[in-house]
Amino acid sequence: MATPDFLRTLRSSAGHQLLWLPGVSAVVFDDEGRVLLGRRADNGRWSIIGGIPDPGEQPAQCAVREVYEETAVLCVPERVVLVQALKPVTYPNQDVCQYMDITLRCRAVGGEPRVNDDESLDVAWFAVDDLPELAEFSAYRIKQAQAPADTPTWFDPAFTDPRELPRTDAPEG
C-alpha cells in the first residue's frame, strides 16, 4: 500500500508508535455478479480493493478513488456493508497502525480492469463461486456484501447491551 503524504508527515513526529487510522474497503460487483479483486504487490495475495482516505475525504469518495487508482474500474458505492476495528498491524519498518475499516458494496459502471498503479500485480473479475485463495478479511467482506440490500450493516456485536458497557468511576447521583 502506498503511504499517503499526510501519513509520512505524521510519522516524522510520531515515529513508529501506534496510529489509529481510517480505512475503506470496496467490494465491487459487475453486472454479471462477479467481484473485482487485485493481487497485491506487497504480499502477492488476491484481495478486495481498499486504502486510506485523504484528510477530509468521505468513505464513499475514497472507495471510488481507490478502485479507479488501482484497477481503472469506475464504480458507484451502494451501501455500507461492515464497520470493524481491526487488530494492530506492525509493518516491516516497525510502524504500527490500527484501522477502523468501513467496507462498501459497490457497482462497476465503467472501465476495463487492469493494473493501474504499483500496488497491484494483477487485477481481474472472479465469479463468487470460483474465487482464488483469499484471506478471511476479503472472504468475509465479499460474503457480507452478497447479503440482500435490506440486511443491516455488520458490526462487532460486543457491548450491544448497554448493561455490558464498561463502567466509569463517576459517583451515581
Side-chain angles (χ1 to χ4, degrees), residues 1 14 33-35 37 39-40 51-52 60 70 93 109 118 126 131-132 134 155 162:
M1 168 179 10
R34 299 176 299 174
V35 67
L37 299 176
R39 186 184 291 255
R40 296 175 57 105
I52 299 171
E70 295 182 25
N93 68 355
V109 294
D118 60 358
F126 290 89
L131 295 171
L134 296 170
F155 58 91

Side-chain angles (χ1 to χ4, degrees), residues 23-25 27 48 79-86 100-105 136-145 151-156:
V24 174
S25 302
V27 180
I48 59 175
R79 64 185 169 92
V80 176
V81 170
L82 176 151
V83 176
Q84 182 181 35
L86 304 178
M100 174 62 72
D101 179 59
I102 300 169
T103 301
L104 301 170
R105 178 190 166 107
E136 180 61 23
F137 176 90
S138 292
Y140 189 71
R141 281 154 174 76
I142 292 168
K143 177 184 171 199
Q144 291 300 115
T151 301
T153 300
W154 183 92
F155 58 91
D156 191 327

Side-chain angles (χ1 to χ4, degrees), residues 101-125:
D101 179 59
I102 300 169
T103 301
L104 301 170
R105 178 190 166 107
C106 301
R107 178 175 38 88
V109 294
E112 290 297 320
R114 69 170 193 261
V115 173
N116 208 33
D117 65 11
D118 60 358
E119 294 183 44
S120 301
L121 301 173
D122 197 4
V123 173
W125 292 108

Side-chain angles (χ1 to χ4, degrees), residues 28 36 64 66-75 107-114 116 123 125:
V28 183
L36 181 65
V64 170
E66 288 288 344
V67 169
Y68 184 76
E69 285 178 358
E70 295 182 25
T71 71
V73 170
L74 298 168
C75 70
R107 178 175 38 88
V109 294
E112 290 297 320
R114 69 170 193 261
N116 208 33
V123 173
W125 292 108

